[in-house]
Amino acid sequence: MVGYDPKADDRNISNLEVAVAGSVSGLVTRVLISPLDVIKIRFQLQIERLSRSDPNAKYHGILQAGRQILQEEGPTAFWKGHIPAQLLSIGYGAVQFLSFEVLTELVHRASVRDACDFSVHFLCGGLSACVATLTVHPVDVLRTRFAAQGEPRVYKTLRDAVVTMYRSEGPLVFYKGLNPTLIAIFPYAGFQFSIYSSLKRAYEWALPAEGKKNGNFKNLLCGSGAGVISKTLTYPLDLFKKRLQVGGFEQARASFGQVRSYKGLLDCAGQVLREEGAQGCFKGLSPSLLKAALSTGLVFFWYELFCNLFHHMRKADS
């Protein structure tokens, strides 16, 4: 069970083990879904329509984009920015899951509401994601810059990127896109945790015998469903965040097509709606949903797997 559950309090694991389980789940998942993440970011940053009918569009489909990136930049392009992405996943997973466990336990101890309620998981999930985001946002900006750059590369190494960005754009560059990130991540993570718990309960209600036997499959399936629903509900804010994070990085985007400058979240949203229409707010949704299904499903799958492993290890030692 993700989050504090007084009915299953025999699963006694420490906060350190919770953080390790969160970190490892993020690390393993990141390796597997990085190619989809790179394609999604390229789609989000493209001004032109994602359509074959637009002759200026560099990318217009997942398979076409994958082939083109492979031909032009080689297979390593799908793991561009992988080091900052892994730092992001490890740090984010540890802080988010630890915060969520602590917050849901606090709610139970305060006797405010049932710690397993949909609303409690939504609120605690959103808050835990905001704490994690504030902790690792500079790494997210670095990851986006690496994934967005073409050839020749503007940043050769992680250290080169940090130094160049700091000197040319100042320290606040590492918090570009923070406002839309926090606005987007609260409902996204809140829905992830609350919908995941709700889907697990629905699964166990519909298939009571299967729910007890196939725990890992249930976690993977319910996590995937939660990821797809959450991402669809909050996707436009994720697109605005990515556009803002590459502000001041226009020279590295020239080979991909048109570039734009935005003054802030509202200006970005306004420009996208005026120039690209409502559908422009959902560019890259297909790879993003595929990524959300895989990443959320795998994160919850690995997290619960490692928590159960730590629990059984403790039982064996006692």
Side-chain angles (χ1 to χ4, degrees):
M1 181 70 183
V2 176
Y4 183 77
D5 184 2
K7 298 173 186 174
D9 206 20
D10 61 319
R11 194 187 76 174
N12 182 29
I13 61 174
S14 69
N15 286 343
L16 176 61
E17 288 166 333
V18 167
V20 170
S23 294
V24 175
S25 68
L27 185 151
V28 176
T29 302
R30 173 62 60 183
V31 173
L32 298 174
I33 56 92
S34 183
L36 280 171
D37 201 31
V38 169
I39 292 173
K40 180 204 76 167
I41 290 173
R42 297 288 178 92
F43 281 9
Q44 288 178 323
L45 300 180
Q46 180 171 295
I47 303 298
E48 296 81 4
R49 285 189 305 142
L50 295 168
S51 171
R52 288 188 178 89
S53 61
D54 188 337
N56 297 316
K58 187 175 180 70
Y59 306 121
H60 51 72
I62 296 175
L63 294 178
Q64 176 270 335
R67 285 194 300 269
Q68 188 149 353
I69 292 170
L70 185 63
Q71 289 169 0
E72 294 179 353
E73 304 170 52
T76 56
F78 294 109
W79 282 270
K80 272 186 176 179
H82 190 61
I83 292 175
Q86 277 296 11
L87 293 173
L88 172 68
S89 298
I90 293 168
Y92 188 91
V95 176
Q96 183 183 34
F97 279 105
L98 179 57
S99 299
F100 185 74
E101 297 283 347
V102 170
L103 287 170
T104 50
E105 184 173 359
L106 282 173
V107 170
H108 173 73
R109 301 289 182 209
S111 301
V112 179
R113 300 194 65 141
D114 183 350
C116 297
D117 275 1
F118 183 95
S119 59
V120 171
H121 275 213
F122 179 84
L123 182 62
C124 293
L127 288 173
S128 65
C130 288
V131 173
T133 297
L134 287 169
T135 306
V136 301
H137 190 75
V139 183
D140 189 26
V141 174
L142 286 166
R143 187 274 308 242
T144 300
R145 292 286 183 102
F146 271 102
Q149 67 180 347
E151 297 293 339
R153 298 186 180 191
V154 174
Y155 308 128
K156 303 296 187 284
T157 64
L158 181 59
R159 182 179 180 277
D160 176 47
V162 172
V163 173
T164 302
M165 289 167 65
Y166 183 85
R167 286 176 177 170
S168 61
E169 301 174 64
L172 292 181
V173 66
F174 298 108
Y175 282 92
K176 275 192 173 179
L178 180 62
N179 288 340
T181 301
L182 291 175
I183 294 169
I185 202 65
F186 184 92
Y188 177 58
F191 282 129
Q192 271 188 328
F193 280 96
S194 53
I195 292 172
Y196 174 68
S197 299
S198 297
L199 289 176
K200 282 183 69 175
R201 285 194 288 270
Y203 185 99
E204 290 162 1
W205 175 82
L207 301 166
E210 290 293 316
K212 295 188 184 300
K213 286 193 298 184
N214 299 320
N216 289 335
F217 174 74
K218 174 183 66 178
N219 297 338
L220 184 64
L221 183 66
C222 294
S224 297
V228 169
I229 296 168
S230 305
K231 180 57 72 174
T232 303
L233 292 172
T234 60
Y235 188 77
L237 284 166
D238 187 42
L239 182 137
F240 301 149
K241 177 191 80 170
K242 288 290 183 284
R243 294 281 181 99
L244 291 168
Q245 283 181 333
V246 295
F249 193 52
E250 287 78 10
Q251 77 280 7
R253 301 284 311 144
S255 63
F256 294 107
Q258 299 178 53
V259 292
R260 293 288 184 275
S261 296
Y262 306 110
K263 297 175 183 176
L265 175 58
L266 293 178
D267 179 51
C268 178
Q271 284 197 50
V272 170
L273 286 169
R274 282 195 305 273
E275 298 181 10
E276 303 167 55
Q279 68 270 27
C281 298
F282 291 91
K283 279 182 176 176
L285 181 62
S286 297
S288 189
L289 289 183
L290 185 55
K291 177 205 164 189
L294 290 172
S295 63
T296 310
L298 287 170
V299 161
F300 281 120
F301 168 82
W302 288 113
Y303 176 75
E304 297 240 39
L305 186 70
F306 278 101
C307 283
N308 289 330
L309 176 63
F310 289 138
H311 170 63
H312 290 310
M313 287 170 62
R314 278 178 171 264
K315 283 182 72 175
D317 290 339
S318 60

